[in-house]
Amino acid sequence: MPVFPLGAHVDGDGARFAVASTSADAVEVCLVDGPDGDLTERRVELTEHTFGVWHGTVPGVRAGQRYGYRVHGPYRPWDGVRTNPAKILVDPYARQITGRVTDLAAARGWCDDPMTGPPSTVDSLGSVPLSVVTAPLAVPPGARPDVPWSETVIQELHVRGYTMRHPEVPPQHRGTYLGLAHPAVIEHLRRIGVTAVELLPVASIADEPPLLERGKPNYWGYSTLGFMAPHAGYVSVPGAELTEFRTMVDALHAAGIEVILDMVPNHTAEGGVGGTTLSYRGLDARAYYSLGGSGHDADITGCGNTLDSGSPTVIRLVCDALRHWVTAFGVDGFRIDLASVLGRPRSGAFDPNASLLTAIAVDPVLSTVKLIAEPWDATGEGYRVGGFGVAWSEWNGRYRDAVRDFWRGHGRIGELASRVTGSSDIYALSGRRPWASVNFVTAHDGFTLRDLVSYERKHNEANGEDNRDGTDDNRSQNFGVEGETTSPVIRARRLATARAMLATLLLSTGTPMLVAGDERWRTQGGNNNAYCLDDETSWMDWSQSPEAAELTAFTARVAELRRSHPDLHRDRFFAGTEASWWHPSGRLMAGGDWHDGGARTVGLLVNDGLLLLHAGDTATPYTLPPGGRFRPVLDSSVGDGNPVSTRTLPSGSTITLPPHSVILMRLRRP
């Protein structure tokens, strides 16, 4: 009897089931039928037990059958063993999951106290999600776009929130995979130069216990229940997750847009020991989780539990799951949430060559797709920007901080210069290319671009945590008024600074990542952690406004300039005299200039272009460096970016840089 693959697989006249558990004395697969509220269950013991895997074939099972597992064995919470046959468990390898937690008490595996109390005897069937047997998709995925890293422009977006308010998407498709596949949505992405969408988590999501208690959802989705199953909440037709997800991928691919998934292989929806028993905890807590003393969950994720990246069970699950998304659906890459956790087996010290990171990087399938690390976790020791191996690109938090600081009048010019030219000081030594730096100014967690120039304090009261959640390190500015204002002067300064930051991002060396809605002047009302708000606060605003139209046009123009200028999407770092930095007086920047705390203006001269950045509050003169004749092609102080004058100017000419502006000039050498 073959043991592998794990999961449920239709086979002839039945289905093969296989699940790993070293804690179990016995495992039953439970076949569930009937309508919600009147479920029936047939239990079949898996009598074969090989290499820690319980397996067997059940005749008569077809695709669409709901099922779960019940695990019999010891209950020793002080030792991290929490088997409880009263709890029906989701298959970690389920490719479709249905239902949600409707009764938190029934979903918990303990009574009275999670460490000292007895196991709960309340049957969880009917109160928790179930797995579904699936058949493979009939047609394999087509060819991927394979956009070169150096030409990649990412937009981070939420599948549901992106189209909930889109007027051209049919109402039944809004907030779904099919909504994202709508031609009007794809056309907008193409217009602003996006070559890859980075989707917030789409693997099956379950709200964790604290949110269930408050009656709020985990809108962002960083609360995974099943790592292989598309989330059922984003379908237009219940049960059509696999086909609708594939339709979305195919539509984006047809437009030349890649699909990158934000995956969360660092913790699960079960929370800490006081949380739920939905799958992993009941199957084999010691094989899945990093446990601290006395059976408690180690928590370096800030989410209650931590998957043990040194466990062979976890390594196999994560690699199998990622590979499944590529081979079954054709996705083009992954952004790994809190990726430094994957380099900290048993929650120990970080090692870029740790087993799970290495397994992903050398996998024959995964090594062919884009791999992006969020190079930090919930601890100070876990901040590892630049510390990953050559297979990985990274969200560059130092880029974000440097650009925000520069445009609010803080920080050093030297730090900005390093980030704008690709962060060679971070990535070159390891042999990586400039595109290893995924540059961003805003992300899903934090202020939107509009809020970044409108608020100096977070306003997260709607989250229900008394404004304690979310970072206080926003590096933002409000130009004298907290929040919205009718002052035309302040509104103009905010928009000018926002355009300057967008231009800086798109014209920097590296891989730019935009956040959905920044180009449409979207606000979250100062909320910098809207993870539990599935409403207009978090949804994309598609309403028409002069600011949205103008900023979208500006973004599209800068993206086109990036595409057409080889030095703006370089495959290699600048070398020798390929790039030089110039002082506003027309001379090369000298040693002391880099440490001038009051410096707000600098110019970058490359092979055939000059990029000028001026963060001052007032206009300032700038003398053009030697080298030829310069023609303006972008002026961020103008709403749509078109320079008022495109007259060619010779070297040595003095121009005036408007406040909070980015100017790009083409260089024609003699």
Side-chain angles (χ1 to χ4, degrees):
M1 175 72 164
V3 177
F4 302 112
L6 296 174
H9 300 269
V10 177
D11 182 17
D13 293 330
R16 292 179 291 111
F17 294 89
V19 63
S21 176
T22 60
S23 299
D25 293 333
V27 175
E28 296 167 318
V29 59
C30 306
L31 307 176
V32 179
D33 294 295
D36 291 343
D38 189 23
L39 298 177
T40 63
E41 174 189 6
R42 178 166 68 96
R43 302 185 186 184
V44 179
E45 185 176 356
L46 299 178
T47 57
E48 299 292 330
H49 183 209
T50 310
F51 308 135
V53 174
W54 300 82
H55 55 97
T57 296
V58 182
V61 174
R62 296 287 182 266
Q65 175 69 59
R66 289 171 291 171
Y67 73 99
Y69 293 111
R70 294 189 187 270
V71 176
H72 301 260
Y75 185 80
R76 300 192 304 268
W78 58 89
D79 196 30
V81 181
R82 299 174 179 274
T83 60
N84 185 341
K87 308 304 167 184
I88 190 165
L89 306 175
V90 165
D91 186 349
Y93 277 71
R95 296 183 294 280
Q96 185 177 348
I97 295 173
T98 184
R100 59 189 182 87
V101 177
T102 58
D103 185 335
L104 180 56
R108 284 178 165 143
W110 50 273
C111 285
D112 301 329
D113 184 275
M115 297 305 300
T116 61
S120 167
T121 58
V122 178
D123 196 309
S124 64
L125 179 62
S127 302
V128 296
L130 294 168
S131 314
V132 181
V133 177
T134 62
L137 291 170
V139 179
R144 302 197 305 265
D146 284 330
V147 178
W149 259 118
S150 59
E151 298 176 16
T152 297
V153 176
I154 298 171
Q155 183 165 74
E156 186 194 36
L157 61 86
H158 189 285
V159 168
R160 176 170 166 81
Y162 201 68
T163 62
M164 280 297 292
R165 304 171 70 184
H166 199 296
E168 295 184 57
V169 174
Q172 67 272 25
H173 290 167
R174 291 174 188 168
T176 72
Y177 302 121
L178 295 185
L180 191 55
H182 192 276
V185 175
I186 291 176
E187 175 54 34
H188 176 77
L189 293 169
R190 287 173 55 86
R191 181 188 177 194
I192 61 174
V194 170
T195 70
V197 290
E198 184 176 301
L199 306 182
L200 268 68
V202 295
S204 182
I205 301 159
D207 301 328
E208 55 266 60
L211 287 175
L212 289 168
E213 292 172 338
R214 301 208 311 270
K216 289 186 175 294
N218 191 314
Y219 169 74
W220 284 350
Y222 293 93
S223 186
T224 306
L225 175 60
F227 291 96
M228 295 189 181
H231 184 52
Y234 302 151
V235 292
S236 63
V237 177
E241 298 94 300
L242 279 66
T243 55
E244 291 194 10
F245 187 89
R246 176 71 165 276
T247 298
M248 175 195 71
V249 173
D250 289 346
L252 289 163
H253 281 182
I257 298 173
E258 295 183 315
V259 178
I260 297 171
L261 304 187
D262 196 336
M263 296 293 288
V264 194
N266 57 75
H267 72 281
T268 76
E270 292 182 315
V273 294
T276 52
T277 298
L278 303 177
S279 178
Y280 311 92
R281 177 166 289 126
L283 281 167
D284 201 347
R286 291 191 298 184
Y288 284 105
Y289 292 125
S290 177
L291 300 180
S294 303
H296 283 88
D297 287 287
D299 184 10
I300 62 172
T301 65
C303 300
N305 64 53
T306 302
L307 287 171
D308 182 6
S309 63
S311 165
T313 302
V314 172
I315 294 170
R316 180 175 182 184
L317 171 64
V318 172
C319 291
D320 286 351
L322 298 181
R323 198 182 308 111
H324 171 70
W325 289 101
V326 177
T327 58
F329 299 108
V331 305
D332 305 279
F334 304 95
R335 179 263 193 189
I336 303 298
D337 178 64
L338 302 182
S340 60
V341 171
L342 277 61
R344 300 180 65 180
R346 291 164 293 284
S347 300
F350 178 80
D351 178 3
N353 298 312
S355 51
L356 180 49
L357 290 175
T358 299
I360 294 171
V362 303
D363 184 276
V365 172
L366 302 180
S367 61
T368 68
V369 302
K370 290 180 166 70
L371 298 174
I372 304 171
E374 182 186 38
W376 50 78
D377 56 39
T379 72
E381 198 278 334
Y383 190 80
R384 293 290 164 171
V385 171
F388 281 70
V390 294
W392 295 88
S393 294
E394 299 175 8
W395 272 26
N396 189 347
R398 289 182 61 181
Y399 179 95
R400 171 201 60 208
D401 295 346
V403 172
R404 288 188 179 192
D405 281 346
F406 177 75
W407 289 109
R408 69 188 181 109
H410 292 66
R412 297 184 300 106
I413 288 285
E415 176 70 6
L416 177 77
S418 295
R419 304 304 141 240
V420 166
T421 52
S423 296
S424 60
D425 56 327
I426 298 176
Y427 298 108
L429 187 62
S430 64
R432 287 184 278 181
R433 303 284 184 88
W435 40 258
S437 176
V438 176
N439 299 331
F440 65 105
V441 178
T442 56
H444 66 274
D445 54 342
F447 283 148
T448 66
L449 183 63
R450 178 172 175 175
D451 290 354
L452 191 64
V453 294
S454 303
Y455 295 90
E456 293 186 357
R457 301 182 304 278
K458 65 187 181 185
H459 297 267
N460 299 354
E461 290 79 7
N463 298 353
E465 300 183 43
D466 298 322
N467 207 37
R468 295 188 303 269
D469 61 304
T471 184
D472 293 312
D473 183 20
N474 294 297
R475 303 179 189 232
S476 58
Q477 56 189 322
N478 64 15
F479 293 94
V481 175
E482 184 74 358
E484 297 303 309
T485 178
T486 58
S487 167
V489 174
I490 293 177
R491 288 163 66 98
R493 292 177 69 189
R494 289 175 174 178
L495 276 162
T497 305
R499 288 193 299 269
M501 285 193 280
L502 273 174
T504 304
L505 174 62
L506 286 167
L507 300 179
S508 293
T509 303
T511 302
M513 185 185 79
L514 303 162
V515 173
D518 277 356
E519 79 281 5
R520 294 191 57 80
W521 205 224
R522 188 178 76 87
T523 179
Q524 292 185 166
N527 193 316
N528 73 356
N529 189 41
Y531 76 104
C532 60
L533 301 181
D534 186 5
D535 57 26
E536 288 82 357
T537 305
S538 299
W539 298 342
M540 179 81 159
D541 185 358
W542 292 98
S543 62
Q544 298 301 318
S545 71
E547 294 89 350
E550 195 171 66
L551 201 55
T552 298
F554 176 82
T555 305
R557 177 173 178 78
V558 182
E560 174 57 32
L561 287 170
R562 178 184 176 86
R563 283 193 300 271
S564 64
H565 198 309
D567 274 326
L568 296 175
H569 57 264
R570 293 177 59 88
D571 189 51
R572 298 181 183 276
F573 291 109
F574 290 106
T577 59
E578 286 185 307
S580 55
W581 291 92
W582 292 82
H583 190 270
S585 64
R587 60 172 175 79
L588 283 168
M589 293 281 285
D593 297 329
W594 299 112
H595 304 287
D596 181 357
R600 298 290 176 263
T601 312
V602 71
L604 170 62
L605 181 65
V606 296
N607 297 319
D608 62 351
L610 176 64
L611 179 66
L612 304 175
L613 302 101
H614 173 52
D617 293 330
T618 58
T620 192
Y622 191 97
T623 300
L624 298 177
R629 300 179 66 83
F630 297 88
R631 179 174 62 85
V633 294
L634 177 74
D635 182 350
S636 74
S637 71
V638 180
D640 61 3
N642 286 300
V644 174
S645 171
T646 58
R647 182 168 59 93
T648 300
L649 301 169
S651 296
S653 300
T654 297
I655 62 174
T656 299
L657 301 182
H660 311 289
S661 65
V662 172
I663 308 294
L664 180 65
M665 309 183 83
R666 294 282 194 186
L667 169 61
R668 179 180 298 174
R669 297 185 182 274

